[in-house]
Amino acid sequence: MDIDRMLNFEKRTGIKNEQIEDFVDKASAVQDAIKGMLDGKLKPEDIQIDGIDTPEEIERKEKEKQAMLIKKKQQEEELRLKRKEEEKKKWWDGAELFRTHGDNLDQLEESEQIAITNKLNKYTADYSHWNTWVDETPATKEEIKLKEEEEEKKRNDEFEKNNPEFCNNFMNDIKERTKTREKKENSSNVCRLKGNNFFKQGDMAGALLQYQEALKLVPYDQKTLLNVAQVYIKQKQYDDALEFLSRTLYLNEKQAKAHSRQAFVYNELGKFEDALNSVDKGLKLDPNNRDIQLQRDEIYSKVIDERKEKELNKKHNALAIHFQLVIIENYLGRKGTLQLGKWYLDC
């Protein structure tokens, strides 16, 4: 038997001596408080024991806790909005480059970019070409093109012959980049399909998370961008929906479905003229789409009603002004004022 261990309460129980002493002090303070109340020397509201909060202290700490939570939420929201703006800027900064080169963007970073740069240098670096007359007949231009291609091939063959290691490394690098791109595209597609499943189940948060993961891998995929917009539509977050519809249409303005969804959002926001403009673009691209036809009929009906209401309000305002001018004329006796009112009403 370990006598020292048996006598050492902290080792046997894991409770520190300081904790025991603190408990004993609190127990003694409670006993003294009870005795004081029984003797009539203390009122319950006057009792204060170290380590035991009074109702006022509990209320104060709860308020402080709630204030901290509110501040934390505000900071989280500010950070979310900041990251949202950073993502938006980053996407639009690269959108023009992607729209120009499309799926060849990765290739342009290596082989094609070098080839294009060499061609640009060949035609822009030698300013003496500016003052040189060139025969522009079709036969001559074809002959020049063939000759240039032949010379280009000779230079490439010569370079490969003299630099086999560089060329092999270069081609291997292109292959690796191609594999990486394909892997990203496959992973992005998997995330998008998972998002579709969540969407079908009505789990918009799960769908959005998967679509966002897909866009991290392939940020300019039109299908995913359109799906994100649809999630935001379901969540009635129409500003975000319009943002992603704008991205989709920026990359491909011939997306009838994107125009249709844009029209839906504008319709929900009460912007019927904008909705009509969008749905007309969609219908022009897909004239036989029955859903878009019905959507157009519904929006057009609202546009007509809105135009009639605006015209009626204009007449009512004009009539109100007319009667006000009549009152002024009767009061002041100035007929010219009434004539002005009739002119305004006729407009």
mmCIF file of all heavy atoms in Angstrom, residues 312-347:
data_model
loop_
_atom_site.group_PDB
_atom_site.id
_atom_site.type_symbol
_atom_site.label_atom_id
_atom_site.label_comp_id
_atom_site.label_asym_id
_atom_site.label_seq_id
_atom_site.Cartn_x
_atom_site.Cartn_y
_atom_site.Cartn_z
ATOM 1 N N LEU A 312 -52.179 56.875 -66.002
ATOM 2 C CA LEU A 312 -53.312 57.327 -65.204
ATOM 3 C C LEU A 312 -52.866 58.258 -64.090
ATOM 4 O O LEU A 312 -53.503 59.283 -63.822
ATOM 5 C CB LEU A 312 -54.039 56.108 -64.620
ATOM 6 C CG LEU A 312 -55.381 56.377 -63.919
ATOM 7 C CD1 LEU A 312 -56.371 56.993 -64.908
ATOM 8 C CD2 LEU A 312 -55.941 55.095 -63.324
ATOM 9 N N ASN A 313 -51.733 57.917 -63.453
ATOM 10 C CA ASN A 313 -51.201 58.774 -62.393
ATOM 11 C C ASN A 313 -50.803 60.137 -62.943
ATOM 12 O O ASN A 313 -50.996 61.166 -62.285
ATOM 13 C CB ASN A 313 -49.989 58.111 -61.729
ATOM 14 C CG ASN A 313 -50.385 56.942 -60.855
ATOM 15 O OD1 ASN A 313 -51.516 56.868 -60.384
ATOM 16 N ND2 ASN A 313 -49.455 56.026 -60.642
ATOM 17 N N LYS A 314 -50.264 60.125 -64.152
ATOM 18 C CA LYS A 314 -49.881 61.388 -64.783
ATOM 19 C C LYS A 314 -51.108 62.260 -65.010
ATOM 20 O O LYS A 314 -51.102 63.477 -64.760
ATOM 21 C CB LYS A 314 -49.167 61.108 -66.105
ATOM 22 C CG LYS A 314 -48.692 62.366 -66.821
ATOM 23 C CD LYS A 314 -48.006 62.018 -68.130
ATOM 24 C CE LYS A 314 -47.595 63.284 -68.876
ATOM 25 N NZ LYS A 314 -46.955 62.974 -70.181
ATOM 26 N N LYS A 315 -52.190 61.629 -65.488
ATOM 27 C CA LYS A 315 -53.437 62.372 -65.717
ATOM 28 C C LYS A 315 -54.010 62.902 -64.405
ATOM 29 O O LYS A 315 -54.481 64.048 -64.336
ATOM 30 C CB LYS A 315 -54.464 61.469 -66.410
ATOM 31 C CG LYS A 315 -54.116 61.103 -67.845
ATOM 32 C CD LYS A 315 -54.229 62.319 -68.761
ATOM 33 C CE LYS A 315 -54.002 61.940 -70.222
ATOM 34 N NZ LYS A 315 -54.061 63.143 -71.094
ATOM 35 N N HIS A 316 -53.976 62.051 -63.363
ATOM 36 C CA HIS A 316 -54.498 62.457 -62.070
ATOM 37 C C HIS A 316 -53.711 63.640 -61.522
ATOM 38 O O HIS A 316 -54.282 64.603 -60.985
ATOM 39 C CB HIS A 316 -54.450 61.296 -61.084
ATOM 40 C CG HIS A 316 -55.517 60.281 -61.324
ATOM 41 N ND1 HIS A 316 -55.509 59.041 -60.730
ATOM 42 C CD2 HIS A 316 -56.644 60.321 -62.090
ATOM 43 C CE1 HIS A 316 -56.570 58.363 -61.126
ATOM 44 N NE2 HIS A 316 -57.279 59.122 -61.942
ATOM 45 N N ASN A 317 -52.382 63.571 -61.655
ATOM 46 C CA ASN A 317 -51.545 64.666 -61.174
ATOM 47 C C ASN A 317 -51.835 65.952 -61.953
ATOM 48 O O ASN A 317 -51.894 67.043 -61.371
ATOM 49 C CB ASN A 317 -50.061 64.294 -61.306
ATOM 50 C CG ASN A 317 -49.662 63.193 -60.352
ATOM 51 O OD1 ASN A 317 -50.290 63.000 -59.307
ATOM 52 N ND2 ASN A 317 -48.600 62.464 -60.681
ATOM 53 N N ALA A 318 -51.969 65.770 -63.268
ATOM 54 C CA ALA A 318 -52.263 66.940 -64.093
ATOM 55 C C ALA A 318 -53.620 67.544 -63.722
ATOM 56 O O ALA A 318 -53.782 68.766 -63.658
ATOM 57 C CB ALA A 318 -52.244 66.542 -65.570
ATOM 58 N N LEU A 319 -54.609 66.643 -63.472
ATOM 59 C CA LEU A 319 -55.949 67.122 -63.105
ATOM 60 C C LEU A 319 -55.918 67.841 -61.760
ATOM 61 O O LEU A 319 -56.573 68.876 -61.569
ATOM 62 C CB LEU A 319 -56.914 65.938 -63.056
ATOM 63 C CG LEU A 319 -58.404 66.272 -62.938
ATOM 64 C CD1 LEU A 319 -58.854 67.099 -64.149
ATOM 65 C CD2 LEU A 319 -59.225 64.996 -62.834
ATOM 66 N N ALA A 320 -55.140 67.308 -60.834
ATOM 67 C CA ALA A 320 -55.033 67.929 -59.517
ATOM 68 C C ALA A 320 -54.434 69.325 -59.632
ATOM 69 O O ALA A 320 -54.900 70.278 -58.996
ATOM 70 C CB ALA A 320 -54.182 67.047 -58.597
ATOM 71 N N ILE A 321 -53.389 69.429 -60.467
ATOM 72 C CA ILE A 321 -52.765 70.732 -60.683
ATOM 73 C C ILE A 321 -53.744 71.695 -61.341
ATOM 74 O O ILE A 321 -53.820 72.887 -61.004
ATOM 75 C CB ILE A 321 -51.486 70.570 -61.537
ATOM 76 C CG1 ILE A 321 -50.419 69.810 -60.731
ATOM 77 C CG2 ILE A 321 -50.951 71.926 -61.980
ATOM 78 C CD1 ILE A 321 -49.189 69.470 -61.529
ATOM 79 N N HIS A 322 -54.539 71.161 -62.285
ATOM 80 C CA HIS A 322 -55.532 71.989 -62.973
ATOM 81 C C HIS A 322 -56.525 72.602 -61.985
ATOM 82 O O HIS A 322 -56.809 73.809 -62.011
ATOM 83 C CB HIS A 322 -56.262 71.132 -64.006
ATOM 84 C CG HIS A 322 -57.432 71.835 -64.635
ATOM 85 N ND1 HIS A 322 -57.283 72.873 -65.524
ATOM 86 C CD2 HIS A 322 -58.778 71.648 -64.487
ATOM 87 C CE1 HIS A 322 -58.472 73.293 -65.905
ATOM 88 N NE2 HIS A 322 -59.393 72.561 -65.293
ATOM 89 N N PHE A 323 -57.053 71.760 -61.072
ATOM 90 C CA PHE A 323 -58.032 72.256 -60.113
ATOM 91 C C PHE A 323 -57.398 73.238 -59.124
ATOM 92 O O PHE A 323 -58.026 74.199 -58.690
ATOM 93 C CB PHE A 323 -58.684 71.094 -59.362
ATOM 94 C CG PHE A 323 -59.706 70.366 -60.185
ATOM 95 C CD1 PHE A 323 -59.593 69.005 -60.424
ATOM 96 C CD2 PHE A 323 -60.790 71.050 -60.730
ATOM 97 C CE1 PHE A 323 -60.536 68.333 -61.187
ATOM 98 C CE2 PHE A 323 -61.742 70.376 -61.497
ATOM 99 C CZ PHE A 323 -61.616 69.011 -61.733
ATOM 100 N N GLN A 324 -56.137 72.998 -58.781
ATOM 101 C CA GLN A 324 -55.444 73.930 -57.908
ATOM 102 C C GLN A 324 -55.309 75.296 -58.582
ATOM 103 O O GLN A 324 -55.483 76.347 -57.953
ATOM 104 C CB GLN A 324 -54.069 73.381 -57.530
ATOM 105 C CG GLN A 324 -54.124 72.205 -56.567
ATOM 106 C CD GLN A 324 -52.767 71.593 -56.326
ATOM 107 O OE1 GLN A 324 -51.775 72.033 -56.898
ATOM 108 N NE2 GLN A 324 -52.725 70.567 -55.492
ATOM 109 N N LEU A 325 -55.008 75.241 -59.879
ATOM 110 C CA LEU A 325 -54.881 76.495 -60.630
ATOM 111 C C LEU A 325 -56.240 77.198 -60.770
ATOM 112 O O LEU A 325 -56.314 78.434 -60.795
ATOM 113 C CB LEU A 325 -54.282 76.209 -62.009
ATOM 114 C CG LEU A 325 -52.817 75.740 -62.002
ATOM 115 C CD1 LEU A 325 -52.384 75.350 -63.399
ATOM 116 C CD2 LEU A 325 -51.908 76.830 -61.449
ATOM 117 N N VAL A 326 -57.318 76.405 -60.883
ATOM 118 C CA VAL A 326 -58.666 76.994 -60.940
ATOM 119 C C VAL A 326 -58.963 77.748 -59.654
ATOM 120 O O VAL A 326 -59.499 78.875 -59.662
ATOM 121 C CB VAL A 326 -59.723 75.894 -61.183
ATOM 122 C CG1 VAL A 326 -61.132 76.456 -60.969
ATOM 123 C CG2 VAL A 326 -59.587 75.337 -62.587
ATOM 124 N N ILE A 327 -58.595 77.122 -58.529
ATOM 125 C CA ILE A 327 -58.829 77.770 -57.232
ATOM 126 C C ILE A 327 -58.032 79.065 -57.137
ATOM 127 O O ILE A 327 -58.536 80.099 -56.677
ATOM 128 C CB ILE A 327 -58.435 76.809 -56.089
ATOM 129 C CG1 ILE A 327 -59.385 75.605 -56.081
ATOM 130 C CG2 ILE A 327 -58.461 77.523 -54.739
ATOM 131 C CD1 ILE A 327 -58.976 74.511 -55.125
ATOM 132 N N ILE A 328 -56.776 78.991 -57.589
ATOM 133 C CA ILE A 328 -55.929 80.186 -57.558
ATOM 134 C C ILE A 328 -56.521 81.278 -58.444
ATOM 135 O O ILE A 328 -56.553 82.462 -58.083
ATOM 136 C CB ILE A 328 -54.497 79.843 -57.999
ATOM 137 C CG1 ILE A 328 -53.839 78.904 -56.981
ATOM 138 C CG2 ILE A 328 -53.656 81.106 -58.173
ATOM 139 C CD1 ILE A 328 -52.502 78.354 -57.418
ATOM 140 N N GLU A 329 -57.029 80.863 -59.624
ATOM 141 C CA GLU A 329 -57.607 81.832 -60.570
ATOM 142 C C GLU A 329 -58.841 82.506 -59.976
ATOM 143 O O GLU A 329 -59.033 83.709 -60.081
ATOM 144 C CB GLU A 329 -57.956 81.139 -61.876
ATOM 145 C CG GLU A 329 -58.358 82.143 -62.949
ATOM 146 C CD GLU A 329 -59.645 81.746 -63.625
ATOM 147 O OE1 GLU A 329 -60.378 80.894 -63.109
ATOM 148 O OE2 GLU A 329 -59.918 82.299 -64.688
ATOM 149 N N ASN A 330 -59.687 81.666 -59.323
ATOM 150 C CA ASN A 330 -60.888 82.226 -58.698
ATOM 151 C C ASN A 330 -60.537 83.182 -57.569
ATOM 152 O O ASN A 330 -61.232 84.172 -57.318
ATOM 153 C CB ASN A 330 -61.774 81.104 -58.164
ATOM 154 C CG ASN A 330 -62.405 80.299 -59.290
ATOM 155 O OD1 ASN A 330 -62.574 80.825 -60.398
ATOM 156 N ND2 ASN A 330 -62.742 79.057 -59.017
ATOM 157 N N TYR A 331 -59.437 82.857 -56.907
ATOM 158 C CA TYR A 331 -59.036 83.694 -55.783
ATOM 159 C C TYR A 331 -58.376 84.986 -56.245
ATOM 160 O O TYR A 331 -58.632 86.062 -55.712
ATOM 161 C CB TYR A 331 -58.081 82.903 -54.885
ATOM 162 C CG TYR A 331 -57.625 83.661 -53.662
ATOM 163 C CD1 TYR A 331 -58.480 83.831 -52.572
ATOM 164 C CD2 TYR A 331 -56.353 84.219 -53.616
ATOM 165 C CE1 TYR A 331 -58.061 84.535 -51.443
ATOM 166 C CE2 TYR A 331 -55.935 84.925 -52.495
ATOM 167 C CZ TYR A 331 -56.793 85.077 -51.411
ATOM 168 O OH TYR A 331 -56.375 85.775 -50.314
ATOM 169 N N LEU A 332 -57.539 84.863 -57.283
ATOM 170 C CA LEU A 332 -56.781 86.019 -57.750
ATOM 171 C C LEU A 332 -57.438 86.708 -58.947
ATOM 172 O O LEU A 332 -57.117 87.839 -59.280
ATOM 173 C CB LEU A 332 -55.359 85.594 -58.143
ATOM 174 C CG LEU A 332 -54.500 85.010 -57.014
ATOM 175 C CD1 LEU A 332 -53.170 84.559 -57.565
ATOM 176 C CD2 LEU A 332 -54.294 86.043 -55.901
ATOM 177 N N GLY A 333 -58.335 85.965 -59.643
ATOM 178 C CA GLY A 333 -58.991 86.533 -60.810
ATOM 179 C C GLY A 333 -58.076 86.631 -62.012
ATOM 180 O O GLY A 333 -58.164 87.594 -62.781
ATOM 181 N N ARG A 334 -57.190 85.677 -62.167
ATOM 182 C CA ARG A 334 -56.271 85.693 -63.302
ATOM 183 C C ARG A 334 -56.601 84.557 -64.250
ATOM 184 O O ARG A 334 -56.375 83.390 -63.943
ATOM 185 C CB ARG A 334 -54.825 85.546 -62.822
ATOM 186 C CG ARG A 334 -54.367 86.717 -61.962
ATOM 187 C CD ARG A 334 -52.947 86.531 -61.492
ATOM 188 N NE ARG A 334 -52.515 87.635 -60.647
ATOM 189 C CZ ARG A 334 -51.321 87.692 -60.049
ATOM 190 N NH1 ARG A 334 -50.477 86.679 -60.216
ATOM 191 N NH2 ARG A 334 -50.997 88.722 -59.297
ATOM 192 N N LYS A 335 -57.130 84.883 -65.404
ATOM 193 C CA LYS A 335 -57.538 83.852 -66.369
ATOM 194 C C LYS A 335 -56.351 83.139 -67.007
ATOM 195 O O LYS A 335 -56.458 82.003 -67.445
ATOM 196 C CB LYS A 335 -58.412 84.472 -67.456
ATOM 197 C CG LYS A 335 -59.732 85.012 -66.927
ATOM 198 C CD LYS A 335 -60.582 85.536 -68.057
ATOM 199 C CE LYS A 335 -61.930 86.028 -67.520
ATOM 200 N NZ LYS A 335 -62.788 86.543 -68.603
ATOM 201 N N GLY A 336 -55.242 83.821 -67.045
ATOM 202 C CA GLY A 336 -54.064 83.187 -67.655
ATOM 203 C C GLY A 336 -53.639 81.943 -66.916
ATOM 204 O O GLY A 336 -53.128 80.988 -67.496
ATOM 205 N N THR A 337 -53.894 81.936 -65.641
ATOM 206 C CA THR A 337 -53.534 80.768 -64.841
ATOM 207 C C THR A 337 -54.342 79.553 -65.263
ATOM 208 O O THR A 337 -53.844 78.438 -65.373
ATOM 209 C CB THR A 337 -53.764 81.057 -63.350
ATOM 210 O OG1 THR A 337 -53.106 82.249 -63.008
ATOM 211 C CG2 THR A 337 -53.258 79.916 -62.491
ATOM 212 N N LEU A 338 -55.655 79.720 -65.520
ATOM 213 C CA LEU A 338 -56.521 78.634 -65.954
ATOM 214 C C LEU A 338 -56.083 78.093 -67.309
ATOM 215 O O LEU A 338 -56.090 76.899 -67.544
ATOM 216 C CB LEU A 338 -57.967 79.114 -66.014
ATOM 217 C CG LEU A 338 -59.017 78.071 -66.436
ATOM 218 C CD1 LEU A 338 -58.962 76.877 -65.491
ATOM 219 C CD2 LEU A 338 -60.401 78.672 -66.462
ATOM 220 N N GLN A 339 -55.696 78.987 -68.208
ATOM 221 C CA GLN A 339 -55.223 78.548 -69.531
ATOM 222 C C GLN A 339 -53.964 77.691 -69.393
ATOM 223 O O GLN A 339 -53.791 76.695 -70.081
ATOM 224 C CB GLN A 339 -54.945 79.768 -70.402
ATOM 225 C CG GLN A 339 -56.209 80.547 -70.765
ATOM 226 C CD GLN A 339 -55.903 81.815 -71.525
ATOM 227 O OE1 GLN A 339 -54.743 82.201 -71.638
ATOM 228 N NE2 GLN A 339 -56.940 82.480 -72.017
ATOM 229 N N LEU A 340 -53.079 78.055 -68.466
ATOM 230 C CA LEU A 340 -51.875 77.263 -68.215
ATOM 231 C C LEU A 340 -52.234 75.881 -67.707
ATOM 232 O O LEU A 340 -51.659 74.869 -68.102
ATOM 233 C CB LEU A 340 -50.982 77.992 -67.200
ATOM 234 C CG LEU A 340 -49.687 77.274 -66.782
ATOM 235 C CD1 LEU A 340 -48.784 77.094 -67.995
ATOM 236 C CD2 LEU A 340 -48.967 78.049 -65.687
ATOM 237 N N GLY A 341 -53.251 75.815 -66.847
ATOM 238 C CA GLY A 341 -53.694 74.528 -66.313
ATOM 239 C C GLY A 341 -54.236 73.631 -67.407
ATOM 240 O O GLY A 341 -53.989 72.436 -67.452
ATOM 241 N N LYS A 342 -55.038 74.199 -68.346
ATOM 242 C CA LYS A 342 -55.561 73.399 -69.461
ATOM 243 C C LYS A 342 -54.438 72.875 -70.339
ATOM 244 O O LYS A 342 -54.457 71.733 -70.809
ATOM 245 C CB LYS A 342 -56.517 74.252 -70.288
ATOM 246 C CG LYS A 342 -57.834 74.581 -69.583
ATOM 247 C CD LYS A 342 -58.718 75.432 -70.482
ATOM 248 C CE LYS A 342 -60.057 75.736 -69.797
ATOM 249 N NZ LYS A 342 -60.911 76.591 -70.640
ATOM 250 N N TRP A 343 -53.416 73.724 -70.534
ATOM 251 C CA TRP A 343 -52.280 73.292 -71.369
ATOM 252 C C TRP A 343 -51.557 72.112 -70.722
ATOM 253 O O TRP A 343 -51.221 71.135 -71.370
ATOM 254 C CB TRP A 343 -51.311 74.471 -71.533
ATOM 255 C CG TRP A 343 -50.025 74.065 -72.186
ATOM 256 C CD1 TRP A 343 -49.772 73.913 -73.497
ATOM 257 C CD2 TRP A 343 -48.802 73.753 -71.526
ATOM 258 N NE1 TRP A 343 -48.491 73.502 -73.717
ATOM 259 C CE2 TRP A 343 -47.865 73.408 -72.508
ATOM 260 C CE3 TRP A 343 -48.404 73.726 -70.181
ATOM 261 C CZ2 TRP A 343 -46.561 73.030 -72.206
ATOM 262 C CZ3 TRP A 343 -47.105 73.358 -69.880
ATOM 263 C CH2 TRP A 343 -46.209 73.018 -70.885
ATOM 264 N N TYR A 344 -51.380 72.181 -69.402
ATOM 265 C CA TYR A 344 -50.688 71.095 -68.689
ATOM 266 C C TYR A 344 -51.493 69.807 -68.754
ATOM 267 O O TYR A 344 -50.973 68.725 -68.929
ATOM 268 C CB TYR A 344 -50.444 71.506 -67.224
ATOM 269 C CG TYR A 344 -49.578 70.520 -66.483
ATOM 270 C CD1 TYR A 344 -48.186 70.610 -66.509
ATOM 271 C CD2 TYR A 344 -50.157 69.477 -65.761
ATOM 272 C CE1 TYR A 344 -47.401 69.717 -65.836
ATOM 273 C CE2 TYR A 344 -49.367 68.567 -65.078
ATOM 274 C CZ TYR A 344 -47.985 68.696 -65.119
ATOM 275 O OH TYR A 344 -47.225 67.790 -64.462
ATOM 276 N N LEU A 345 -52.840 69.952 -68.635
ATOM 277 C CA LEU A 345 -53.724 68.780 -68.678
ATOM 278 C C LEU A 345 -53.676 68.113 -70.044
ATOM 279 O O LEU A 345 -53.667 66.892 -70.166
ATOM 280 C CB LEU A 345 -55.150 69.177 -68.327
ATOM 281 C CG LEU A 345 -56.176 68.038 -68.216
ATOM 282 C CD1 LEU A 345 -55.755 67.096 -67.106
ATOM 283 C CD2 LEU A 345 -57.558 68.597 -67.961
ATOM 284 N N ASP A 346 -53.596 68.901 -71.091
ATOM 285 C CA ASP A 346 -53.542 68.353 -72.469
ATOM 286 C C ASP A 346 -52.236 67.586 -72.701
ATOM 287 O O ASP A 346 -52.177 66.678 -73.524
ATOM 288 C CB ASP A 346 -53.671 69.478 -73.498
ATOM 289 C CG ASP A 346 -55.078 70.084 -73.493
ATOM 290 O OD1 ASP A 346 -56.000 69.373 -73.023
ATOM 291 O OD2 ASP A 346 -55.218 71.224 -73.928
ATOM 292 N N CYS A 347 -51.179 67.957 -72.014
ATOM 293 C CA CYS A 347 -49.896 67.270 -72.190
ATOM 294 C C CYS A 347 -49.938 65.875 -71.605
ATOM 295 O O CYS A 347 -49.121 65.060 -71.949
ATOM 296 C CB CYS A 347 -48.776 68.072 -71.501
ATOM 297 S SG CYS A 347 -48.454 69.656 -72.299
#
